[in-house]
Amino acid sequence: MKNSEPAVDLNRKFVRLIERRPDGFVEFEFAIGDPELFAEMLLPSEAYESFCQSNHVVFLEPREEAAKGEDEAGDWNWSLHQATHQRFR
């Protein structure tokens, strides 16, 4: 039986920059194989540059802010960055 799911390429690594903070830290998303399954990370600027270089990452475009008036599932769709920068209901 043939699997219809596409194979995940674990050699592909992705970074989406969230913010370069005034304190010298960089907030970003890091993913392996699938850019939508990621970990939010925080590193000093030099370590971030080194991390990206050593992992040969593909840089992704910044995320667009979620449209207002999303369905209820949107209530559960948030990031750590959002939780530390905005107030939730």
Side-chain angles (χ1 to χ4, degrees):
M1 181 177 216
K2 200 172 197 176
N3 188 354
S4 62
E5 293 292 320
V8 174
D9 184 356
L10 299 179
N11 293 314
R12 294 196 66 192
K13 298 171 185 157
F14 305 90
V15 161
R16 177 175 281 121
L17 179 66
I18 297 173
E19 178 183 18
R20 287 186 180 272
R21 298 176 10 168
D23 62 3
F25 282 87
V26 179
E27 289 184 61
F28 63 100
E29 297 173 358
F30 177 65
I32 299 174
D34 179 355
E36 293 307 313
L37 183 59
F38 58 87
E40 293 178 73
M41 298 180 67
L42 180 69
L43 288 173
S45 186
E46 276 187 33
Y48 167 77
E49 301 299 336
S50 177
F51 177 86
C52 290
Q53 186 176 24
S54 65
N55 282 290
H56 307 286
V57 301
V58 173
F59 291 96
L60 302 171
E61 293 293 319
R63 289 191 185 278
E64 292 184 22
E65 290 299 317
K68 295 190 190 254
E70 285 187 11
D71 60 12
E72 254 183 64
D75 289 344
W76 298 102
N77 188 15
W78 55 271
S79 68
L80 185 57
H81 177 79
Q82 291 168 324
T84 58
H85 289 83
Q86 73 185 37
R87 190 164 174 86
F88 287 90
R89 336 178 207 175

